[in-house]
């Protein structure tokens, strides 16, 4: 493989470890150097490399292609209640089914906390955020007074800078590429760190701008900042907020320490 340039001129060579082929496509082995996305390359086939069963050789320098990002397809399976598998139905699937999209998916995490509440969410490679399933408490972020279930993905707003998503029984939470943290859904128990118990059906910002990772439970949340500090809020049952008490907090409180990396909230 060479950079596509003047015919017959090799600008820079990218060696490959192996290749297989059939009538319609080449499958290339490991590259010595990575290709650049959206750059056009020429496939230079040496003599005797491709020979058909009749002994005819296929060689030439007229084959070109443009390198593209991997196509990230998203699949789901299991219980289809509330349209959580994004198949525009509530069908149960015991093997993976693809979630429709013309744009590649980048990251996603859907969580089932209890049997009467199903939601899923994912982020596409263009930075848009999509949710589907049960819309109880406005968890799908559609700014609807009366929640409606969605059995296929619906976009949350028009923002293109989402990087992480988590859903739970009570809410959804997401981090943007600028380090801001956002939540929406049912706001009982100070869940949304707004110092109130209001329900929000579209994203509202959690105080702070340096959030790195997050974890969402049924009625509590945790998140780590880029400085290594760990914060929690919501219901403090069984001391889950790390404050040496069982108090409810409606705004983030710091858990001692400055070298935290990840948070896991499992209730």
């Amino acid at each position: 493989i060479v950079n596509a340039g003047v015919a017959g001129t090799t600008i820079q060579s990218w060696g490959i470890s192996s290749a297989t082929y059939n009538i319609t496509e080449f499958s290339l082995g490991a590259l010595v150097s990575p290709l650049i996305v959206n750059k056009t390359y020429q496939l230079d086939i040496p003599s005797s490399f491709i020979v058909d069963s009749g002994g005819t050789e296929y060689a030439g320098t007229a084959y070109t292609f443009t390198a593209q990002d991997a196509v990230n397809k998203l699949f789901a399976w299991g219980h289809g209640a509330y349209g959580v598998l994004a198949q525009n139905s509530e069908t149960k699937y015991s093997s993976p089914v693809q979630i429709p999209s013309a744009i590649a998916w980048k990251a996603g995490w859907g969580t089932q906390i209890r049997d009467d509440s199903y939601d899923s969410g994912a982020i596409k490679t263009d930075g848009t955020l999509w949710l589907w399933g049960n819309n109880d408490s406005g968890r799908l972020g559609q700014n609807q007074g009366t929640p409606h279930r969605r059995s296929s993905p619906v976009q949350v707003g028009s923002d293109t800078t989402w990087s992480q998503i988590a859903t739970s029984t009570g809410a959804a939470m997401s981090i943007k590429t600028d380090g801001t943290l956002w939540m929406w859904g049912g706001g009982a128990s100070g869940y949304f760190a707004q110092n109130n118990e209001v329900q929000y059906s579209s994203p509202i910002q959690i105080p702070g701008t340096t959030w790195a990772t997050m974890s969402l439970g049924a009625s509590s949340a945790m998140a780590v900042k880029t400085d290594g500090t760990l914060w929690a809020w919501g219901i403090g049952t069984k001391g889950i907020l790390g404050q040496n008490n069982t108090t409810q907090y409606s705004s983030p409180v710091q858990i001692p320490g400055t070298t935290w990396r990840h948070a896991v909230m499992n209730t």
Side-chain angles (χ1 to χ4, degrees), residues 120-149:
S120 292
I123 297 170
K124 293 184 178 181
T125 53
D126 63 0
T128 57
L129 174 59
W130 301 73
L131 292 169
W132 58 95
N134 190 10
N135 197 21
D136 187 33
S137 303
R139 287 195 304 274
L140 300 189
Q142 298 303 300
N143 198 27
Q144 295 172 320
T146 302
H148 299 282
R149 297 175 185 172

Side-chain angles (χ1 to χ4, degrees), residues 209-213 223-231 254 257-261:
T209 57
T210 56
W211 300 103
T213 63
V224 179
K225 290 188 176 182
T226 54
D227 63 1
T229 56
L230 176 61
W231 301 74
Q254 186 177 349
T258 58
T259 56
W260 300 101
R261 292 186 61 187

Side-chain angles (χ1 to χ4, degrees), residues 131 138-141 165-168 170-174 182-186 191-192 216:
L131 292 169
R139 287 195 304 274
L140 300 189
I165 177 63
T167 64
S168 78
M173 180 164 64
S174 188
W182 301 74
M183 289 185 71
W184 58 96
Y191 203 12
F192 294 155
L216 189 59

Side-chain angles (χ1 to χ4, degrees), residues 156-242:
V156 178
S158 58
D159 201 285
T160 60
T161 60
W162 301 104
S163 64
Q164 299 177 45
I165 177 63
T167 64
S168 78
T169 298
M173 180 164 64
S174 188
I175 293 178
K176 291 185 178 182
T177 54
D178 63 1
T180 56
L181 179 61
W182 301 74
M183 289 185 71
W184 58 96
S189 309
Y191 203 12
F192 294 155
Q194 301 299 306
N195 201 27
N196 62 34
E197 296 193 3
V198 175
Q199 174 178 309
Y200 295 88
S201 58
S202 57
I204 55 168
Q205 186 177 348
I206 305 298
T209 57
T210 56
W211 300 103
T213 63
M214 62 182 181
S215 183
L216 189 59
S219 53
S220 305
M222 282 185 181
V224 179
K225 290 188 176 182
T226 54
D227 63 1
T229 56
L230 176 61
W231 301 74
W233 59 96
I235 289 180
T237 304
K238 299 180 181 179
I240 197 170
L241 302 186

Side-chain angles (χ1 to χ4, degrees), residues 39-65:
K39 189 174 184 64
T40 299
Y41 294 89
Q42 177 177 294
L43 183 63
D44 191 355
I45 304 174
S47 177
S48 302
F49 182 73
I50 300 177
V51 182
D52 68 16
S53 59
T56 301
E57 293 187 7
Y58 297 85
T61 57
Y63 302 93
T64 60
F65 65 92

